[in-house]
Amino acid sequence: MALVTDPERIRSVFLKYSTDSTHLTRQQYKLASLAISGYKPSKSMVERLYRDLEVGDAMDIQTFSSVQLEQAKLRSTSETLKQIFQTFDWSCNGFISKSDFLRAVNEVMPNFSGAEDLFEKADWDMDGRISWREFVSLMGVS
């Protein structure tokens, strides 16, 4: 599903799911999020979000817009990282081997001399390959 970053689209979805045109309940938030992103957040995620944002039982349009735009950025970052990971995974086995990593780094930065050290830093469990989780950590994303 395409990322929705258009404020008018976010506003129209908010208004469609808000019964009073000013706030979204938790259930309305779930439906509005599904309409925007194609992803329905779990009850615990919504509870945590409402608690962390200190919005009580109802989220206003400004908060909803901010949350949706931030989530779109996160989805975009995640998709970009997946594409990079798949590019580095020359063997297409879900891991980046040391040889795959060195080959990919050499293609992108032929004069970079720290590729072996970088691989060792990323390979936490020292199994000779970088998992998706290790890769995300290496890229500085939590």
Side-chain angles (χ1 to χ4, degrees):
M1 180 166 234
L3 297 176
V4 176
T5 57
D6 175 29
E8 280 306 308
R9 171 76 174 124
I10 293 171
R11 183 178 183 282
S12 71
V13 169
F14 179 92
L15 293 173
K16 177 179 179 182
Y17 289 95
S18 173
T19 53
D20 67 2
S21 298
T22 62
H23 294 87
L24 291 174
T25 64
R26 287 167 172 80
Q27 184 61 33
Q28 291 166 339
Y29 174 84
K30 286 168 126 181
L31 296 172
S33 290
L34 178 62
I36 287 179
S37 67
Y39 171 75
K40 184 177 178 186
S42 69
K43 181 178 180 179
S44 63
M45 287 177 75
V46 173
E47 292 295 328
R48 186 173 43 245
L49 177 66
Y50 272 62
R51 184 188 67 238
D52 291 350
L53 294 174
E54 299 177 353
V55 295
D57 291 328
M59 184 181 295
D60 64 27
I61 192 165
Q62 290 83 10
T63 305
F64 178 73
S65 295
S66 295
V67 168
Q68 293 306 313
L69 291 171
E70 185 61 31
Q71 288 178 348
K73 286 182 205 171
L74 292 173
R75 285 188 297 274
S76 176
T77 300
S78 178
E79 288 304 312
T80 300
L81 284 177
K82 285 178 189 173
Q83 291 171 356
I84 294 169
F85 183 85
Q86 290 169 345
T87 300
F88 274 51
D89 178 16
W90 292 43
S91 302
C92 300
N93 63 1
F95 294 92
I96 302 171
S97 69
K98 188 171 188 174
S99 61
D100 288 348
F101 184 82
L102 296 176
R103 181 177 6 171
V105 170
N106 189 48
E107 285 235 349
V108 176
M109 301 178 294
N111 297 325
F112 181 64
S113 62
E116 295 232 9
D117 290 337
L118 193 56
F119 181 86
E120 300 303 323
K121 178 182 174 185
D123 184 21
W124 301 338
D125 58 8
M126 296 179 272
D127 64 353
R129 60 190 187 173
I130 299 173
S131 67
W132 168 248
R133 195 167 159 206
E134 290 168 327
F135 181 75
V136 168
S137 178
L138 175 67
M139 300 306 286
V141 178
S142 51

